[in-house]
Amino acid sequence: MEENNESSSSFPIGQTAQERGFSHVPECYKAQYSDRARLDTELADVPLINLDGICNPSRREIIIEEIANACRCNGLFQVVNHGIPQSVLDGALSTASDFFNLPAQDKAKFMSNDVHNPVRYGTSLKDGVDKVQFWRIFLKQYAHPLQDWIVLWPDTPPDYRQKMGEYAVAMQKLAVKIMEAITESLGLGPTYLTSKLDDGMQVLVVNCYPPCPQPELSLGLPPHSDYSCLTIVLQDSPGLQILDFEDKTYKAVPAMQGVLQVHVGDHLEVLSNGKYKSVVHKVRLNSEKTRFSIVSLHSLGMDVKMEAAKELVDEDHPNGYRESSFRDFLNFISKNDIGEGSSFLNTLKI
């Protein structure tokens, strides 16, 4: 296997080090030293919230308070008893694995560096373009409303559309339910964003992180926050690390069967006028096994601007953010390298 030519431009989609199974980490994959993930990181104290009874008025009050505390203090929480059958979660992870195991020619038609494409296969952020590349393979696809986008999804494996479609619909319903609790916790009422989320964007990112021969040198994803209102993550094994709000160190998020992670996104921070903070996170690698995750990002419509809720802006709490849309974010990442530390959220702060 040829491993001698190691410039970043030498690794276009389909020819990357992680796809070709390199026995070492090329220079263009080596993360900045300050960003590298320690493999012995301590576990994060992530709130685990039981959603059972969220429609019961007395129980709902407790759940909303737990969600409010998590959004304010952690930017992340985990949910159980979310109403999604384990078979749906397992089915999505299974068909994701089957997709990434397809022959290269079956995935080639989805390969693209254009961040505006509604369905695209890639292996870094902008392969062969960004200065630092990442040890990841992904399929990113628009998912809501499902009937508008599913015809563009892969039709192999044969069960991909059915299993991933079931998962996407379940995530959209859960996202709306959680966001209703969040806006209620902000004093805005449960339906403040419901119609906009119903008409909004859902992007599914199906991630595959192959074993890395030197996981201490590279990353699956660099430190970043999500552009979404909120993000729901399913992971089959540990790898996600979050920046602790208090001591500013990275800590590992545990992976438990049936448990989903919910991230506060940049647009929720904007809506709350900074009361809730989006969580900075990165993905560490391992040398033993392939890791899969499915990330569901939920935001307003492509050109619908998110701004701080007027109810949360006053003389003591002036507006701290510029308005922005999902398209604004896409335009930003098409021109900037988040692996170099570029942050969309920072451009929104006044």
Side-chain angles (χ1 to χ4, degrees):
M1 182 179 297
E2 181 60 55
E3 300 183 12
N4 294 326
N5 193 347
E6 294 189 355
S7 69
S8 62
S9 60
S10 301
F11 298 105
I13 308 170
Q15 298 293 321
T16 59
Q18 62 271 35
E19 291 173 292
R20 293 158 64 187
F22 275 27
S23 60
H24 71 289
V25 171
E27 284 298 317
C28 64
Y29 283 83
K30 293 181 180 178
Q32 299 180 52
Y33 186 81
S34 59
D35 288 342
R36 294 178 186 178
R38 290 178 51 190
L39 305 184
D40 60 347
T41 304
E42 68 176 281
L43 284 179
D45 184 16
V46 180
L48 182 63
I49 298 176
N50 182 356
L51 296 184
D52 186 37
I54 195 169
C55 295
N56 178 292
S58 58
R59 174 76 182 130
R60 182 177 180 83
E61 185 177 346
I62 296 170
I63 294 172
I64 287 175
E65 183 60 29
E66 291 176 342
I67 288 176
N69 287 336
C71 290
R72 186 167 49 246
C73 302
N74 305 88
L76 174 92
F77 54 94
Q78 297 176 312
V79 292
V80 294
N81 291 324
H82 39 64
I84 302 172
Q86 187 64 43
S87 60
V88 172
L89 306 182
D90 292 343
L93 288 170
S94 173
T95 199
S97 175
D98 291 343
F99 171 80
F100 289 115
N101 284 329
L102 290 173
Q105 62 267 24
D106 291 340
K107 297 174 284 192
K109 60 184 174 182
F110 300 106
M111 292 179 181
S112 175
N113 265 339
D114 185 352
V115 299
H116 296 86
N117 279 359
V119 180
R120 71 183 185 103
Y121 173 90
T123 55
S124 192
L125 296 174
K126 296 190 290 292
D127 298 272
V129 177
D130 291 336
K131 183 177 179 181
V132 178
Q133 296 199 44
F134 299 95
W135 205 272
R136 174 177 76 137
I137 309 169
F138 69 86
L139 181 70
K140 185 172 291 188
Q141 53 202 16
Y142 291 2
H144 180 75
L146 187 64
Q147 66 271 17
D148 289 357
W149 303 112
I150 196 168
V151 293
L152 302 178
W153 291 9
D155 55 9
T156 53
D159 63 357
Y160 184 86
R161 290 182 177 178
Q162 180 255 322
K163 289 184 175 179
M164 201 61 72
E166 285 183 1
Y167 181 83
V169 170
M171 288 301 108
Q172 177 68 18
K173 290 179 179 177
L174 179 60
V176 170
K177 180 162 63 175
I178 292 174
M179 184 55 75
E180 288 179 346
I182 290 173
T183 56
E184 189 170 345
S185 76
L186 289 167
L188 302 173
T191 61
Y192 189 86
L193 281 185
T194 300
S195 62
K196 288 186 176 181
L197 279 182
D198 283 340
D199 295 333
M201 298 291 299
Q202 178 189 15
V203 181
L204 277 189
V205 186
V206 187
N207 293 307
C208 171
Y209 300 97
C212 179
Q214 297 167 292
E216 71 280 2
L217 298 180
S218 189
L219 287 171
L221 275 174
H224 68 285
S225 58
D226 294 334
Y227 60 83
S228 59
C229 294
L230 59 81
T231 303
I232 304 175
V233 179
L234 171 66
Q235 55 175 348
D236 72 342
S237 57
L240 180 65
Q241 296 187 347
I242 61 170
L243 186 65
D244 188 275
F245 279 9
E246 293 187 359
D247 65 18
K248 304 301 181 184
T249 64
Y250 280 93
K251 296 178 180 177
V253 176
M256 297 179 285
Q257 187 179 44
V259 174
L260 297 168
Q261 281 81 42
V262 181
H263 297 199
V264 172
D266 293 344
H267 274 174
L268 178 51
E269 178 171 331
V270 171
L271 176 72
S272 72
N273 199 24
K275 185 174 182 179
Y276 297 162
K277 301 291 187 182
S278 61
V279 62
V280 175
H281 53 286
K282 62 185 177 182
V283 176
R284 73 164 177 85
L285 303 164
N286 73 83
S287 59
E288 289 85 34
K289 61 176 287 188
T290 298
R291 174 180 175 266
F292 296 97
S293 71
I294 305 176
V295 178
S296 187
L297 301 116
H298 301 267
S299 61
L300 307 187
M302 178 67 76
D303 295 301
V304 179
K305 301 286 188 179
M306 175 64 85
E307 61 182 356
K310 292 178 173 56
E311 297 86 343
L312 302 177
V313 176
D314 56 31
E315 186 174 338
D316 295 327
H317 306 90
N319 184 10
Y321 301 87
R322 299 177 180 87
E323 65 177 18
S324 67
S325 66
F326 180 59
R327 192 182 303 277
D328 292 331
F329 168 77
L330 292 178
N331 292 337
F332 175 84
I333 61 171
S334 70
K335 300 172 183 176
N336 295 274
D337 183 356
I338 69 169
E340 289 280 281
S342 298
S343 167
F344 180 59
L345 180 61
N346 285 343
T347 69
L348 304 181
K349 294 180 179 178
I350 298 174

